[in-house]
Amino acid sequence: MASVSYGRAAAVAALQAALSSTWIAARELPPAKRRLARLGTTAAVAAIGYVTSPKEPEPDGEPGELVVADRPFPVSEPPVPEDAPEPAFDKRKAVVGLAMIGLTVAAVVGRRTVEKRWLARLTRNGHPHPTRALAVRIGVIEFAGQFALQVAEARRTATRSDG
């Protein structure tokens, strides 16, 4: 069974969507109120996330119990055998890392492009509050994207713990 439920995935996605929507909607406020609204929203989402985060179960034994290895060593000098080979450079991990960075940059640029187009269209069509309408639209898309990521993470965690 997955350690992250669908309810938790939906809640995390809703928190992220609320943060994004509020961040965008605050654009039409004066600078001082905008900063205050963004700070308050960020603090509230962080507090809710902290309170609702799953707590690590205590390991078997007494809480806070120290376990000392057979041969203790200073943390600054981990035990390394003298004949240990240098770790090999894993090209696959480097490619995956670069791909993740590329996807992240593409997502940010794509989102900003969509925001600009939608805001321009809403303004051109005479919407009374184009920034608020944009915030609602982005919130819906943010929720869908975050929910998909959370469900994928839950399934990956479930597969890893089953196998």
Side-chain angles (χ1 to χ4, degrees):
M1 193 71 183
S3 64
V4 179
S5 66
Y6 287 114
R8 176 153 177 75
V12 169
L15 276 175
Q16 184 62 39
L19 178 63
S20 293
S21 294
T22 306
W23 195 272
I24 292 170
R27 287 181 190 167
E28 60 186 25
L29 296 173
K33 288 184 179 180
R34 178 176 56 237
R35 289 184 187 108
L36 187 61
R38 288 177 172 175
L39 175 69
T41 304
T42 304
V45 167
I48 291 169
Y50 176 76
V51 169
T52 60
S53 66
K55 306 300 181 244
E56 297 274 336
E58 290 293 329
D60 294 339
E62 296 179 23
E65 179 181 334
L66 285 177
V67 178
V68 180
D70 293 339
R71 290 179 270 156
F73 58 90
V75 176
S76 61
E77 300 174 13
V80 178
E82 295 173 6
D83 59 342
E86 288 288 321
F89 179 73
D90 192 0
K91 292 179 183 178
R92 289 179 296 172
K93 286 185 180 180
V95 168
V96 169
L98 288 174
M100 293 304 294
I101 291 171
L103 283 173
T104 302
V105 169
V108 169
V109 169
R111 176 186 166 152
R112 188 65 186 138
T113 303
V114 167
E115 283 182 28
K116 286 180 181 180
R117 286 182 183 174
W118 281 353
L119 187 59
R121 186 181 321 145
L122 287 166
T123 305
R124 185 175 56 244
N125 292 341
H127 195 283
H129 300 285
T131 307
R132 291 181 201 170
L134 175 66
V136 171
R137 289 178 177 189
I138 294 294
V140 170
I141 291 189
E142 184 80 24
F143 177 81
Q146 286 294 324
F147 186 69
L149 290 174
Q150 293 295 321
V151 168
E153 179 67 25
R155 287 180 184 230
R156 188 175 67 154
T157 302
T159 323
R160 203 178 281 162
S161 64
D162 289 342

